[in-house]
Amino acid sequence: MARRSDTKKRMVGAARQLIREHGYHSMALSDVVERSASPRGSVYYHFPQGKVQMAAEAAEVHTREQVDLITQLAGEAASPEGLVRAYVERAREGMLASDYGRGCTIAPLVLEVGGASEELGAASRRAFVLMVETLALQFVVLGADTADARELAHATVAGVEGAMVTSRALRSPEPFDAVRDTLVGRAQAFAAVRD
């Protein structure tokens, strides 16, 4: 018999996948139950606030995963431009692996819900703040100065988010390639000024 925490984890994972594939409004609780192979009654047991709570928890999982990914990639990078390249490439690979069917978990919450839900608004803001702050910190660790690191972190997150949308629309990896090359060039320019 599956433990309760396993059921909840599966449901959050299913919600995250559905949001990434179809958006927040298209995520039906019945689809979450089906995709997670969970009992129907477990939705309100684990998520008494319903769909909003489930989406907020999916956003938290996505955020933790992104922060961990940035930290891992930074540990393998030798420079800010190496981290930019690796981060954009990882997003590009994910898009290709999904055959252009999967975007970000956070973007639909911002675009579809906006300010209509304080809980989802807070989860979205927290996600982007943590991703930018983690990137900026790692850029500093890799040798960038604080102002350059912050600018590059914002541009990297915004560039990857934009590339996800345009790449899906065009069914092409070109937006990721353009973002990667532009941001790597910017990171190299920062390094040249310091030298």
Side-chain angles (χ1 to χ4, degrees):
M1 183 167 131
R3 293 187 335 227
R4 288 180 183 168
S5 61
D6 292 340
T7 299
K8 184 174 184 177
K9 186 176 181 179
R10 283 195 324 271
M11 293 178 84
V12 169
R16 183 175 175 218
Q17 289 173 353
L18 289 163
I19 293 168
R20 294 179 83 178
E21 293 167 7
H22 306 292
Y24 173 76
H25 288 308
S26 295
M27 179 191 77
L29 295 178
S30 59
D31 294 335
V32 172
V33 167
E34 182 180 327
R35 187 170 285 196
S36 66
S38 300
R40 186 152 199 43
S42 61
V43 171
Y44 295 104
Y45 176 80
H46 291 293
F47 306 97
Q49 297 167 342
K51 185 175 177 175
V52 168
Q53 181 184 1
M54 188 180 290
E57 291 193 28
E60 293 297 330
V61 168
H62 180 83
T63 304
R64 281 194 307 274
E65 181 182 281
Q66 289 300 301
V67 167
D68 291 346
L69 174 63
I70 291 164
T71 304
Q72 174 205 329
L73 295 175
E76 299 166 1
S79 64
E81 56 266 29
L83 175 53
V84 168
R85 185 182 309 279
Y87 187 67
V88 176
E89 282 296 319
R90 186 62 66 95
R92 182 186 190 277
E93 291 166 10
M95 184 60 69
L96 293 175
S98 74
D99 193 30
Y100 304 98
R102 187 180 73 201
C104 175
T105 304
I106 309 303
L109 304 182
V110 173
L111 297 172
E112 296 177 36
V113 182
S117 166
E118 182 55 39
E119 186 174 0
L120 294 181
S124 299
R125 284 187 298 279
R126 193 167 41 254
F128 285 123
V129 165
L130 284 172
M131 288 163 49
V132 168
E133 286 179 354
T134 303
L135 270 170
L137 172 65
Q138 295 301 335
F139 288 145
V140 168
V141 169
L142 291 167
D145 74 35
T146 303
D148 292 344
R150 188 151 184 78
E151 177 185 320
L152 188 58
H154 274 292
T156 301
V157 171
V160 167
E161 291 295 318
M164 282 187 192
V165 173
T166 53
S167 181
R168 280 183 85 175
L170 300 172
R171 295 191 60 77
S172 167
E174 282 185 75
F176 284 104
D177 299 340
V179 165
R180 179 199 58 225
D181 295 346
T182 300
L183 292 174
V184 165
R186 185 70 173 149
Q188 290 169 336
F190 288 150
V193 169
R194 285 193 315 275
D195 294 342

